[in-house]
C-alpha cells in the first residue's frame, strides 16, 4: 500500500479544514481502506465566533458524505467542550447521543456529525483518521486475532475489544486509551471493526494509516495469504462447467430477481457477475462454512444483510431471516425485509441486489472485498466473523431504524428495469431521461454508436444494437439481464420515416425496408421480451410509439402509414393475449414532433414554406396550437407505465395537440 500524499498538491489546501479535506480524499480513494461512505476523519481547530471570540471545535465527517469526494461543508463543526463532557457520562442512549451531537454544532445547518464523533474528540492529536482496512479485518477476524495484532503492532496501537459503534464504544475508548497509550502509540485498533490513526498534521495521520494498514498486508503476505485473488482460485474458475450445467440465461436470472423482489416486497435491481474471482469463491468446497458467518465489519450489514444466500432457494433464506429476527429482535423493532442482497451460486456466480442499480453496485463492491478478506483470513488461520447477535445490534440500531422511518417514498420506478429502442435521439432519448428520472434502470438500444457515449452512470446501459437482427436483440437482452436482473418496461420506439414517395413509384425493396424496421423488428422484440416481462415483479408494461398516420394517413407515406397501422394491430393483439400475464400494452400516437434529429432548421423551414406557413405556425398547426416536443411524448410514455394507468391496456392515446382529421 502506497501513500498518495503529494506535497505540491497538498500545498494548495491552506488551513486545518482544507488539509483535512485533502487527506480525507486520499483515504477515500483507496477502496481497500474505506468504501462507500465508510470510515471517517476529523481535525481539531480553533475558530472565531461572531463576537470575535475563539472556541475549540472539532470538524468531524458529516453523515451522508463520502470521504472520496468530500468538500469542506461535509465536515460538521462540533464544540470540543461539549463532546468531551459527553464522554464522561456513564450512559447515554444512541438516540440521545445523536441529539447531543447535533446540539454541539456551531453551525445548525451542518450535516449530522458521524456517530464516531466522540471517539475522535477523545483522541489527543489534532488530525484523526479512521478506516476499515481490508488487511486489518483479515487479521482481526481470525481465532487468536488479538494475539496476531499484538504481534504485528506491539505498543504502536491500543487494542480495543469489539463493542458496537456508538456511545458505548466511545466510552470504552475514553477509558482504555489513556490507560494503555504509550510514547510509541500512533493508533487505536478496534477488533473486528477498523483502525484509527492520528497525528499533528494531516500528512502524519494519513501516512500512519497507510503504514499500519501496510503492516497488516505484509503480515498476511508473509503467511501466503495476501495477493488479492490467488492464482489457484483463478485456475479453478477457468475449469469447464462440466458438472455445473449450462450458464444461466436471462430467464433464470429474471426468475431469481422476481423471487427475491417478492420477498423484499418491492422490485429490486439485480446485478450478476460471473468472472473468475467470484466463480472460484462461489465454488469453494468450504463455502457454506466461510460465507455463512457474517460481514467483515459490522456496518456492511446495512448493504449486504448479515449473510449471503447460497444457491437460489429464496424461501429458505427468508425463513432463516425470520428465525434470526425472532431470536434477537424484540416487539419494539420493525423487521426489515427478509430478502437477501448478496447471492452466491455455483452457476450464476455473484448476484447483488438493491432498490437501485447504485445500491446493487455498492453491495457488489462490498462483497468483492469481503471475499478477499475471508480468503485471506482463512489462509492465515481461519475466518471468524462476529457472532450474529453483534451484527443484529448494528442492523437494528436505533439510529438506523430512525433513518428508515425518515426515508421518503422512493421514486415510482425504483428497482424496475426499462428497455427503450431507438434510444440515442429524439423521442427515444427523451424516454430514457423520463424513465431515469422516475428511478428506473434503463437499457438503451440504438443502431447509432452514440447510444453508449452517455456519461457513465450505474442505472444506464447503452448498447449498440440493430433491432432487425434477432441475435443482436438476444445478446442485448442477455447483457441487460446481467446488468439489472430482468425487464419490467418495454418502449418500442425505433422506427424510420422515409422521404415522401407516391405509391405508384414505391419499390418493393423500399417497402420491405420500412416494414422490416417499423414492424418486423417489433414483433421479434415483443416475442423475445414477453417471457421476461411475464416475470416482472409488478407486471410488465409495453408502450408502443405509434403515429397520427394510423388514424389519418398522408399521401406519399404508404409504407410508413401501413407499417404503423400493422404495428398498432400487433400491439392490440399483444394486449389481448398478455392480459393474463399481467402485461399491459398501450400505444401513443404522436404527431409533428420536430425537436428530433431528422428535423434540422433547414428541413423545417422548407416544409413550412411548402405549406405557405411560418416555421412557428407550422410547428403549432394543431387544434390546441401548441408545439409537441419529444419530452411531452416521453413523459406520457413513462406515465403510461405508472400507477395512474394500472388498469389500462390496449389504449391508443394521441399526443399531437389535437388533429382535426382524427377528432
Ligand atoms: Zn468505523
Amino acid at each position: 500500500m502506497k501513500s498518495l500524499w503529494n506535497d505540491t498538491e497538498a500545498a494548495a489546501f491552506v488551513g486545518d479544514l482544507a488539509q483535512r479535506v485533502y487527506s480525507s480524499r486520499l483515504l477515500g480513494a483507496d477502496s481497500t481502506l474505506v468504501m462507500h461512505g465508510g470510515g471517517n476523519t476529523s481535525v481539531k481547530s480553533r475558530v472565531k465566533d461572531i463576537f470575535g471570540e475563539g472556541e475549540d471545535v472539532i470538524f468531524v465527517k458529516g453523515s451522508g458524505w463520502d470521504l472520496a469526494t468530500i468538500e469542506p461543508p461535509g465536515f460538521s463543526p462540533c464544540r470540543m467542550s461539549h463532546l468531551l463532557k459527553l464522554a464522561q457520562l456513564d450512559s447515554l442512549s444512541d438516540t440521545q447521543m445523536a441529539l447531543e451531537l447535533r446540539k454541539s454544532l456551531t453551525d445548525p445547518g451542518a450535516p449530522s456529525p458521524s456517530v464516531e464523533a466522540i471517539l475522535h474528540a477523545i483522541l489527543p492529536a489534532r488530525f484523526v483518521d479512521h478506516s476499515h482496512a481490508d488487511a486489518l479485518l483479515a487479521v482481526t477476524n481470525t481465532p487468536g486475532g488479538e494475539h496476531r495484532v499484538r504481534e504485528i503492532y506491539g505498543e504502536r496501537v491500543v487494542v480495543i475489544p469489539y463493542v458496537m459503534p456508538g456511545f458505548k464504544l466511545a466510552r470504552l475508548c475514553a477509558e482504555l486509551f489513556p490507560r494503555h497509550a504509550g510514547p510509541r502509540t500512533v493508533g487505536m485498533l478496534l477488533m473486528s471493526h477498523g483502525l484509527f490513526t492520528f497525528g499533528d498534521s494531516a500528512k502524519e495521520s494519513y501516512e500512519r494509516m497507510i503504514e499500519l494498514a501496510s503492516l497488516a498486508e505484509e503480515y498476511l503476505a508473509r503467511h501466503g495469504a495476501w495477493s488479492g485473488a490467488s492464482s489457484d482460485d483463478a485456475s479453478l474458475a477457468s475449469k469447464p462447467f462440466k458438472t455445473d450445467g449450462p450458464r444461466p440465461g436471462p430467464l433464470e436470472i429474471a426468475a431469481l430477481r422476481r423471487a427475491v423482489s417478492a420477498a423484499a416486497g418491492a422490485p429490486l435491481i439485480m446485478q450478476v457477475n460471473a468472472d473468475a474471482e467470484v466463480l472460484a469463491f462461489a465454488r469453494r468446497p468450504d463455502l457454506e462454512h466461510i460465507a455463512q458467518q457474517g460481514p467483515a465489519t459490522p456496518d456492511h450489514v446495512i448493504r449486504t444483510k448479515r449473510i449471503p444466500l447460497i444457491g437460489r432457494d429464496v424461501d429458505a433464506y427468508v425463513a432463516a431471516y425470520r428465525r434470526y429476527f425472532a431470536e434477537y429482535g424484540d416487539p419494539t423493532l420493525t423487521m426489515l425485509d427478509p430478502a437477501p442482497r448478496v447471492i452466491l451460486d455455483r452457476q450464476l456466480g455473484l448476484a447483488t441486489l438493491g432498490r437501485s442499480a447504485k445500491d446493487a453496485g455498492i453491495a457488489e463492491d462490498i462483497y468483492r472485498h469481503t471475499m478477499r478478506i475471508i480468503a485471506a483470513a482463512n489462509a492465515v488461520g481461519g475466518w471468524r466473523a462476529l457472532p450474529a447477535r453483534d451484527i443484529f445490534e448494528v442492523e437494528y440500531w436505533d439510529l438506523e431504524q430512525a433513518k428508515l422511518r425518515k426515508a421518503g417514498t422512493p421514486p415510482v420506478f425504483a428497482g424496475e428495469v426499462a428497455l427503450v429502442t431507438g434510444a440515442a435521439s429524439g423521442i427515444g432519448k427523451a424516454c430514457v431521461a423520463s424513465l431515469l428520472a422516475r428511478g428506473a434502470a434503463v437499457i438503451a438500444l440504438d443502431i447509432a454508436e452514440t447510444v453508449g457515449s452517455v456519461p457513465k452512470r450505474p442505472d444506464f446501459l447503452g448498447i449498440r444494437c440493430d433491432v432487425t437482427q434477432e441475435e443482436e436483440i438476444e445478446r442485448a437482452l442477455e447483457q441487460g439481464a446481467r446488468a439489472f436482473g430482468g425487464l419490467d418496461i418495454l418502449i418500442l420506439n425505433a422506427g424510420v420515416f422515409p422521404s415522401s414517395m407516391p405509391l405508384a413509384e414505391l419499390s418493393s425493396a423500399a417497402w420491405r425496408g420500412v416494414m422490416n424496421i417499423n414492424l418486423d423488428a417489433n414483433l421479434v422484440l415483443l416475442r423475445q421480451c414477453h417471457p421476461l416481462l411475464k416475470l416482472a415483479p409488478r407486471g410488465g408494461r409495453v408502450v408502443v410509439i405509434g403515429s397520427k398516420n394510423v388514424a389519418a394517413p398522408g399521401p406519399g407515406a404508404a409504407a410508413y402509414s401501413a407499417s404503423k397501422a400493422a404495428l398498432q394491430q400487433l400491439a392490440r393483439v399483444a394486449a389481448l393475449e398478455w392480459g393474463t400475464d399481467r402485461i399491459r400494452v398501450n400505444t401513443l400516437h404522436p404527431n409533428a414532433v420536430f425537436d428530433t434529429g431528422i428535423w434540422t432548421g433547414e428541413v423545417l423551414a422548407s416544409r413550412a414554406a411548402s405549406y405557405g406557413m411560418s416555421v412557428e405556425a407550422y410547428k403549432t398547426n394543431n387544434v390546441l396550437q401548441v408545439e409537441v416536443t419529444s419530452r411531452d411524448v416521453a413523459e406520457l410514455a413513462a406515465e403510461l407505465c405508472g400507477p395512474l394507468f394500472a388498469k389500462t391496456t390496449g389504449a391508443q392515446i394521441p399526443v399531437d395537440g389535437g388533429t382535426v382529421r382524427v377528432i
Side-chain angles (χ1 to χ4, degrees):
M1 187 172 292
K2 264 208 178 121
S3 166
L4 304 173
W5 187 277
N6 175 317
D7 281 328
T8 320
E9 268 173 34
F13 292 79
V14 182
D16 289 345
L17 183 57
Q19 285 281 299
R20 182 65 280 176
V21 168
Y22 173 67
S23 74
S24 298
R25 289 182 189 163
L26 299 185
L27 199 65
D30 189 336
S31 66
T32 67
L33 288 172
V34 298
M35 276 191 294
H36 300 296
N40 41 58
T41 57
S42 68
V43 58
K44 300 176 186 75
S45 189
R46 202 169 163 78
V47 296
K48 277 200 174 128
D49 64 15
I50 199 161
F51 310 109
E53 291 163 15
E55 62 183 338
D56 290 321
V57 300
I58 177 169
F59 291 93
V60 181
K61 194 200 94 162
S63 74
W65 285 79
D66 197 301
L67 288 179
T69 52
I70 201 158
E71 302 279 347
F75 285 93
S76 311
C78 305
R79 289 187 185 85
M80 273 297 281
S81 56
H82 197 110
L83 300 196
L84 292 176
K85 244 175 158 171
L86 290 175
Q88 298 302 313
L89 292 175
D90 284 332
S91 72
L92 188 65
S93 80
D94 287 327
T95 310
Q96 281 174 309
M97 180 186 74
L99 193 67
E100 288 300 324
L101 291 182
R102 278 217 69 84
K103 282 202 246 169
S104 77
L105 289 171
T106 61
D107 171 4
S112 291
S114 156
V115 294
E116 276 151 351
I118 300 175
L119 226 164
H120 281 260
I122 57 152
L123 292 171
R126 281 175 64 221
F127 287 85
V128 177
D129 292 45
H130 169 46
S131 82
H132 301 152
D134 287 359
L136 179 89
L137 293 169
V139 174
T140 71
N141 295 6
T142 54
E146 191 167 339
H147 179 76
R148 283 176 225 281
V149 297
R150 289 193 194 282
E151 182 190 334
I152 297 170
Y153 298 116
E155 294 163 18
R156 304 196 68 199
V157 302
V158 172
V159 179
I160 310 284
Y162 178 79
V163 172
M164 181 175 154
F167 184 75
K168 260 193 260 168
L169 174 61
R171 189 73 196 74
L172 183 68
C173 294
E175 197 186 306
L176 294 184
F177 184 81
R179 204 187 296 164
H180 298 287
R184 295 192 62 229
T185 305
V186 296
M188 182 169 75
L189 190 156
L190 312 180
M191 291 299 291
S192 301
H193 173 162
L195 190 59
F196 280 81
T197 54
F198 39 80
D200 283 335
S201 67
K203 184 178 183 178
E204 186 175 55
S205 181
Y206 166 74
E207 291 197 330
R208 282 174 172 171
M209 178 63 74
I210 299 300
E211 191 199 338
L212 295 194
S214 300
L215 287 175
E217 286 188 357
E218 285 157 21
Y219 176 87
L220 292 170
R222 275 201 305 280
H223 291 77
W226 194 255
S227 58
S230 79
S231 51
D232 285 355
D233 288 354
S235 70
L236 188 67
S238 61
K239 275 188 187 162
F241 278 59
K242 247 184 220 160
T243 53
D244 290 295
R247 183 172 138 118
L251 283 184
E252 284 160 283
I253 291 172
L256 181 58
R257 167 177 174 254
R258 180 184 161 113
V260 182
S261 297
L268 299 176
I269 298 293
M270 184 171 94
Q271 296 183 352
V272 179
N273 287 280
D275 50 80
E277 184 183 21
V278 302
L279 281 175
F281 191 82
R283 292 173 184 187
R284 283 179 68 127
D286 58 352
L287 185 67
E288 198 68 47
H289 175 66
I290 54 171
Q292 296 292 281
Q293 290 197 30
T297 184
D299 74 348
H300 288 173
V301 69
I302 308 304
R303 297 293 189 173
T304 61
K305 286 268 158 89
R306 190 178 74 87
I307 50 174
L309 162 63
I310 295 180
R312 296 183 222 169
D313 188 347
V314 178
D315 289 345
Y317 186 94
V318 168
Y321 189 89
R322 287 185 191 284
R323 284 198 298 276
Y324 159 76
F325 183 77
E327 185 170 356
Y328 302 109
D330 67 60
T332 64
L333 298 173
T334 312
M335 193 181 83
L336 301 169
D337 79 67
R341 293 297 186 274
V342 177
I343 299 172
L344 293 165
D345 179 89
R346 294 182 66 82
Q347 282 96 42
L348 268 182
L350 171 70
T352 53
L353 298 110
R355 279 289 269 152
S356 65
K358 186 180 166 205
D359 286 350
I362 290 175
E364 183 205 333
D365 282 351
I366 290 179
Y367 207 75
R368 280 186 186 276
H369 283 264
T370 305
M371 291 188 302
R372 291 168 203 152
I373 294 167
I374 291 177
N378 210 48
V380 86
W383 164 249
R384 183 191 279 172
L386 284 169
R389 178 179 298 280
D390 289 319
I391 302 304
F392 184 90
E393 263 192 334
V394 173
E395 190 176 0
Y396 284 91
W397 196 2
D398 293 355
L399 301 179
E400 293 296 342
Q401 291 256 309
K403 251 192 243 169
L404 290 176
R405 282 192 292 270
K406 264 193 279 175
T409 20
V412 61
F413 296 147
E416 297 200 292
V417 186
L419 185 148
V420 181
T421 66
S425 62
I427 292 171
K429 190 175 179 180
C431 284
V432 171
S434 294
L435 291 160
L436 286 172
R438 285 165 175 77
V442 179
I443 305 160
L445 306 190
D446 204 289
I447 195 158
E449 272 319 327
T450 50
V451 73
S453 63
V454 170
K456 210 171 154 47
R457 47 184 291 172
D459 50 2
F460 177 86
L461 175 66
I463 304 174
R464 201 218 148 262
C465 174
D466 177 350
V467 290
T468 65
Q469 304 300 312
E470 284 200 38
E471 59 295 343
E472 286 192 30
I473 293 176
E474 215 166 284
R475 215 175 308 137
L477 291 179
E478 159 97 31
Q479 239 179 298
R482 292 190 168 272
F484 302 133
L487 187 63
D488 304 85
I489 293 169
L490 173 64
I491 311 280
L492 294 178
N493 165 70
V496 285
F497 185 66
S499 47
S500 187
M501 175 71 67
L503 189 55
E505 292 164 28
L506 182 61
S507 74
S508 298
W511 167 267
R512 273 197 299 271
V514 173
M515 286 294 169
N516 206 9
I517 299 171
N518 290 4
L519 182 61
D520 298 3
N522 286 320
L523 167 69
V524 176
L525 278 156
L526 284 166
R527 196 179 60 212
Q528 307 270 71
C529 292
H530 173 246
L532 290 169
L533 291 167
K534 229 173 124 170
L535 290 167
R538 284 189 178 149
R541 282 135 287 166
V542 179
V543 174
V544 173
I545 305 298
S547 168
K548 174 224 66 168
N549 284 41
V550 172
Y560 180 76
S561 305
S563 69
K564 287 290 188 181
L567 174 60
Q568 180 51 41
Q569 289 300 81
L570 194 60
R572 293 169 75 188
V573 173
L576 288 169
E577 290 186 358
W578 297 354
T580 49
D581 297 330
R582 301 182 313 141
I583 301 171
R584 303 192 286 110
V585 185
N586 293 296
T587 303
L588 286 183
H589 291 310
N591 187 36
V593 177
F594 296 119
D595 62 342
T596 65
I598 330 162
W599 293 92
T600 60
E602 227 171 295
V603 175
L604 202 53
S606 83
R607 274 299 176 92
S610 73
Y611 286 96
M613 286 181 190
S614 69
V615 168
E616 210 38 51
Y618 181 65
K619 274 182 167 178
T620 58
N621 185 22
N622 53 49
V623 174
L624 295 173
Q625 301 193 325
V626 290
E627 186 182 344
V628 181
T629 64
S630 293
R631 185 166 186 275
D632 295 327
V633 182
E635 287 287 290
L636 191 51
E639 284 304 313
L640 265 178
C641 301
L644 275 181
F645 288 90
K647 294 172 185 176
T648 299
T649 193
Q652 300 184 50
I653 302 171
V655 45
D656 59 358
T659 302
V660 174
R661 285 174 57 209
V662 176
I663 295 172

